[in-house]
């Protein structure tokens, strides 16, 4: 027999101690092993592609008996302040707990994992093996009441899909190390942001300059590649998307041309490390906006109407979209109707409507204009315009914040000099307002701030307008409003503004109260200074009529 006394030492600390006997004839072993603050980074080379930046220490006491061919191991491992980054999600986790080792099994019982915000995930399950062969994982993780971070990637990590995800739910990991399957059934929580860019910097080209000198070697190489077992990690998401999560579809990363929205959905996503990425389900918009940009000079924020959707049935870039958005402004109708009456000199409400249908990558975009408070004469003139003429009016409203005189009416145009002299000032002020609003909104993700200044002319007033949109008190209160200061020719200055405040009585937002005030001083059809309102809002989703009246059990 051979008696062994082995240890490794760092300074005065014996990090690894092995003591016991070995019989060369029978191959029997009987060892006691002690680990004392052993550095875990020695495992890093074996975890490449799964875990990175592994740092921590481990204590442990266990015995190894049996034979060298079939060792029997029993004991415990205490993980001490260990950190690691999961390569797929780019989230750094902390663990501090014990692992029980029995014959052919590593057992996890209430094993706690902490995210960067020290929110906890509880792990239970085991890793089984047959003398360290045929390793299988069967692990289940559950979140506590707090939202846990599961994703923290940037565009450089995954061009197809990235963002920050906080979720609650159940997560299962099963299979062999070379083919791990992760099933995730979760609900999105606050501060979750998904980004889907529709442009990619990657380029696929065919290289036809390779010449095989030895064709036999080439054939052998091809056969080896065909017989290679491809392995990876597969993730199956069953996500309950709530309005707490924000999804953004990015058309142009440089200029900021994007649609962002919050809504409800049940999305199924399949992702693996070999490049497979499929999505299934409908994302129904509850609220959102579309930032329309023109070479980062014109920046107009459209409100996406509730009820629009994006539908996936496989390839995430082959999604179907049906969205409607509106950009609201106030401008004089004089340029459209060429009428010198006082009512057309005042600024009136105008809605620029944009619809996006068909495929997400090749959308069909249509424009329209609505005059919600104008008289029948103005509406009739707008309706009679051709599609091409209406598109020009749409662009003029976005760029200059005013109508342009239709071609058919230019012969009877009056006051052309006054109009032309003001266009330069309007254009400059609009460009300045666009840039200032864009910069202010980039200060914080919690606030959308807009500034609009328009100089006056012979038929309209000077106007400065400041708009603010935000959510406070854990997203229970939503505030949207703007304040404008204007001065009509020959009158004193006045302050006017619009606002609405919405409060979620219940956390899920099904029951809300809302109050609003809308200025009417610029509306043709209403002479009262303000319209105010207050109401209670209730929403309940159901698949069958009986679900509307019977509370559904969990």
């Amino acid at each position: 027999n051979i008696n062994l006394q082995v240890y490794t030492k760092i300074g005065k600390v014996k990090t690894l101690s092995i003591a016991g006997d070995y019989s060369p004839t029978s191959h029997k072993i009987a060892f006691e092993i002690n680990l004392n603050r052993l550095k875990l980074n020695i495992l890093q080379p074996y975890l490449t592609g799964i875990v990175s930046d592994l740092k921590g220490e481990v204590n442990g006491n266990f015995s190894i008996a049996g034979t060298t061919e079939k060792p029997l191991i029993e004991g415990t491992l205490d993980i001490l302040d260990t950190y690691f980054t999961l390569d797929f999600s780019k989230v750094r986790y902390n663990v501090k707990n014990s692992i029980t080792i029995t014959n052919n099994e590593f057992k996890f019982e209430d094993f706690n994992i902490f995210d960067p915000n020290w929110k906890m995930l509880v792990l239970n399950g085991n890793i089984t093996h047959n003398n360290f062969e045929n390793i299988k994982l069967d692990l289940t993780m559950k979140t506590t009441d707090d939202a846990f971070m599961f994703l923290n990637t940037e565009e450089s990590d995954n061009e197809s899909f990235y963002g920050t995800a906080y979720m609650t739910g159940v997560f299962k990991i099963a299979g062999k190390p070379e083919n791990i399957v992760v099933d995730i059934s979760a609900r999105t929580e606050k501060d979750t942001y998904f980004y889907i860019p529709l442009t990619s910097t990657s380029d696929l080209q065919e290289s036809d300059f390779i010449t095989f000198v030895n064709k036999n070697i080439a054939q052998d190489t091809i056969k080896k590649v065909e017989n290679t077992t491809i392995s990876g990690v597969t993730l199956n998401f069953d996500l309950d998307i709530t309005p707490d999560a924000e999804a953004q579809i990015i058309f142009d990363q440089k200029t900021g041309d994007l649609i962002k929205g919050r809504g409800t959905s049940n999305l199924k996503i399949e992702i693996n490390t070999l490049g497979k990425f499929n999505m299934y389900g409908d994302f129904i918009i509850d609220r959102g906006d579309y930032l329309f940009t023109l070479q980062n000079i014109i920046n107009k924020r459209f409100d996406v109407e509730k009820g629009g959707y994006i539908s996936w049935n496989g390839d995430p870039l082959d999604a179907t979209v049906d969205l409607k958005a509106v950009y609201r402004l106030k401008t004089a109708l004089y340029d459209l109707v060429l009428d010198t009456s006082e009512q057309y000199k005042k600024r009136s409400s105008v809605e620029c409507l944009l619809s996006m249908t068909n495929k997400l990558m090749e959308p069909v975009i249509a424009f329209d204009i609505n005059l919600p408070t104008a008289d029948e004469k103005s509406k009739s003139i707008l309706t009679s315009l051709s599609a091409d003429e209406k598109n020009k009016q749409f662009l003029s409203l976005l760029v200059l914040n005013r109508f342009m005189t239709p071609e058919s009416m230019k012969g009877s145009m009056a006051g052309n000099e006054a109009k032309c002299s003001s266009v330069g000032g309007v254009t400059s002020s609009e460009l300045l307002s666009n840039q200032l609003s864009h910069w202010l909104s980039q200060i914080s993700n919690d606030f959308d701030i807009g500034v609009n200044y328009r100089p006056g002319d012979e038929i309209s007033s000077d106007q400065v307008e400041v708009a603010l949109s935000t959510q406070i008190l854990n997203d229970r209160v939503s505030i949207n409003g703007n304040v404008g200061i204007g001065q009509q020719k020959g009158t004193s200055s006045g302050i006017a503004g619009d606002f609405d405040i919405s409060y979620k009585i219940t956390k899920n937002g099904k029951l809300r109260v809302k109050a609003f005030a809308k200025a009417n001083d610029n509306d043709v059809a209403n002479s009262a200074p303000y319209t105010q309102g207050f109401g209670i809002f209730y929403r309940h989703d159901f698949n069958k009529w009986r679900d509307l009246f019977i509370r559904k059990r969990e």
Side-chain angles (χ1 to χ4, degrees):
N1 291 338
I2 299 175
N3 177 264
L4 297 176
Q5 301 288 335
V6 181
Y7 65 85
T8 63
K9 194 173 182 181
I10 297 179
K12 296 182 179 181
V13 179
K14 291 183 178 180
T15 56
L16 172 64
S17 300
I18 304 174
D21 299 298
Y22 167 60
S23 175
T25 54
S26 62
H27 300 290
K28 289 184 178 180
I29 53 178
F31 291 111
E32 294 294 328
I33 299 177
N34 177 262
L35 305 179
N36 182 22
R37 306 192 74 86
L38 180 67
K39 302 293 183 181
L40 283 175
N41 56 8
I42 62 174
L43 300 176
Q44 183 64 76
Y46 307 100
L47 299 174
T48 301
I50 300 176
V51 169
S52 60
D53 198 19
L54 175 61
K55 294 179 181 178
E57 298 173 339
V58 60
N59 290 342
N61 290 284
F62 52 93
S63 62
I64 302 179
T67 65
T68 54
E69 293 182 354
K70 294 183 178 181
L72 303 176
I73 306 175
E74 288 190 358
T76 59
L77 291 177
D78 295 322
I79 310 298
L80 308 176
D81 291 329
T82 296
Y83 294 85
F84 64 90
T85 299
L86 198 60
D87 286 348
F88 176 80
S89 65
K90 300 300 181 184
V91 180
R92 189 164 178 78
Y93 296 114
N94 169 270
V95 296
K96 185 178 181 180
N97 221 314
S98 298
I99 302 173
T100 302
I101 303 175
T102 60
N103 293 331
N104 296 329
E105 183 184 30
F106 293 85
K107 192 171 184 179
F108 299 84
E109 291 184 333
D110 295 332
F111 191 90
N112 298 329
I113 303 173
F114 298 90
D115 72 1
N117 302 311
W118 292 100
K119 304 302 182 182
M120 189 170 66
L121 184 74
V122 181
L123 168 64
N124 286 283
N126 58 57
I127 301 175
T128 60
H129 60 90
N130 184 11
N131 295 316
F132 295 98
E133 295 182 351
N134 298 320
I135 299 174
K136 293 182 180 179
L137 288 77
D138 185 8
L139 305 171
T140 300
M141 295 176 285
K142 293 184 179 180
T143 61
T144 58
D145 293 335
D146 295 319
F148 193 82
M149 179 184 280
F150 284 95
L151 188 69
N152 190 30
T153 56
E154 298 179 354
E155 186 180 12
S156 57
D157 301 315
N158 186 344
E159 290 186 350
S160 300
F161 176 87
Y162 62 94
T164 303
Y166 292 89
M167 293 184 283
T168 54
V170 179
F171 309 82
K172 295 184 178 181
I173 303 175
K176 298 181 178 181
E178 63 270 16
N179 190 20
I180 295 175
V181 177
V182 182
D183 292 315
I184 301 173
S185 178
R187 171 189 174 96
T188 60
E189 302 293 346
K190 184 185 175 184
D191 296 326
T192 295
Y193 298 91
F194 297 102
Y195 301 93
I196 304 175
L198 300 187
T199 56
S200 176
T201 57
S202 60
D203 188 19
L204 183 63
Q205 295 180 345
E206 180 181 356
S207 300
D208 55 1
F209 52 83
I210 298 175
T211 303
F212 291 104
V213 177
N214 189 326
K215 294 183 178 181
N216 293 328
I217 294 178
Q219 292 296 330
D220 292 341
T221 303
I222 291 172
K223 289 181 180 179
K224 289 180 181 179
V225 172
E226 289 176 346
N227 294 328
T228 300
T229 300
I230 299 176
S231 61
V233 178
T234 300
L235 294 98
N236 299 317
F237 292 84
D238 187 354
L239 297 180
D240 181 14
I241 306 294
T242 68
D244 290 318
E246 180 178 281
Q248 293 193 16
I249 300 174
I250 303 171
F251 293 95
D252 193 321
Q253 184 74 42
K254 294 180 180 179
T255 63
D257 194 357
L258 56 87
I259 292 177
K260 64 179 181 180
R262 296 176 183 267
T264 57
S265 175
N266 182 259
L267 284 182
K268 297 186 184 297
I269 304 175
E270 301 172 352
I271 307 174
N272 66 24
T273 54
L274 303 176
K276 178 184 177 183
F277 181 19
N278 290 327
M279 294 178 64
Y280 303 90
D282 299 333
F283 180 72
I284 310 298
I285 299 292
D286 183 66
R287 66 183 186 273
D289 58 64
Y290 168 46
L291 181 62
F292 174 83
T293 64
L294 182 61
Q295 296 300 319
N296 208 19
I297 297 175
I298 303 301
N299 298 287
K300 298 296 184 181
R301 194 175 298 276
F302 285 72
D303 295 323
V304 177
E305 293 186 353
K306 184 177 179 178
Y309 67 86
I310 304 171
S311 179
W312 288 273
N313 191 28
D315 185 350
L317 299 184
D318 193 37
T320 301
V321 61
D322 187 353
L323 299 176
K324 293 179 176 62
V326 57
Y327 172 69
R328 296 178 176 87
L329 68 147
K330 289 186 176 181
T331 188
L333 301 178
Y334 169 80
D335 296 313
L336 177 67
V337 300
L338 286 182
D339 191 318
T340 58
S341 300
E342 186 67 24
Q343 65 180 31
Y344 299 116
K345 296 179 182 179
K346 294 182 179 180
R347 290 194 173 96
S348 182
S349 298
V350 180
E351 295 178 344
C352 294
L353 307 175
L354 181 149
S355 65
M356 182 180 298
T357 57
N358 203 29
K359 295 296 183 181
L360 185 60
M361 290 297 293
E362 298 178 355
V364 175
I365 299 176
F367 306 110
D368 201 357
I369 301 172
N370 183 37
L371 303 175
T373 60
D375 61 355
E376 289 303 320
K377 176 182 177 181
S378 303
K379 293 181 179 180
S380 176
I381 293 175
L382 186 62
T383 304
S384 65
L385 298 178
S386 65
D388 183 60
E389 186 69 35
K390 194 172 292 187
N391 290 343
K392 292 179 181 178
Q393 296 289 351
F394 186 94
L395 186 60
S396 177
L397 289 169
L398 292 186
V399 176
L400 302 178
N401 214 74
R402 67 188 302 163
F403 283 101
M404 60 184 296
T405 303
E407 292 291 335
S408 59
M409 302 174 65
K410 281 187 177 181
S412 59
M413 185 167 59
N416 183 57
E417 296 79 3
K419 177 190 173 190
C420 292
S421 63
S422 66
V423 169
V426 171
T427 303
S428 300
S429 66
E430 279 296 306
L431 296 181
L432 179 61
S433 299
N434 288 331
Q435 286 301 314
L436 185 57
S437 299
H438 189 52
W439 293 334
L440 289 174
S441 293
Q442 291 177 331
I443 294 175
S444 171
N445 290 328
D446 299 326
F447 294 90
D448 276 332
I449 306 172
V451 176
N452 185 29
Y453 167 69
R454 281 181 51 81
D457 53 30
E458 295 297 326
I459 59 174
S460 61
S461 64
D462 298 324
Q463 187 181 66
V464 177
E465 188 177 62
V466 179
L468 172 68
S469 176
T470 186
Q471 295 188 14
I472 58 176
L473 298 180
N474 200 24
D475 287 346
R476 297 289 287 270
V477 178
S478 298
I479 301 173
N480 294 282
N482 62 68
V483 177
I485 301 176
Q487 183 175 15
Q488 295 286 352
K489 299 299 179 181
T491 65
S492 59
S493 61
I495 299 176
D498 304 333
F499 79 89
D500 68 75
I501 299 177
S502 176
Y503 173 70
K504 297 179 182 178
I505 297 178
T506 57
K507 187 176 180 180
N508 58 16
K510 286 189 174 183
L511 184 61
R512 308 182 190 186
V513 292
K514 183 176 181 179
F516 73 91
K518 182 180 70 172
N520 296 324
D521 58 321
N522 292 321
D523 290 344
V524 175
N526 199 331
S527 59
Y530 279 94
T531 296
Q532 289 125 357
F534 174 83
I536 297 177
F537 174 86
Y538 178 75
R539 169 177 172 173
H540 181 71
D541 298 330
F542 58 94
N543 294 321
K544 298 179 181 179
W545 280 107
R546 65 181 182 182
D547 294 339
L548 183 60
F549 306 102
I550 301 175
R551 183 173 181 178
K552 189 163 56 176
R553 294 180 180 178
E554 291 291 340

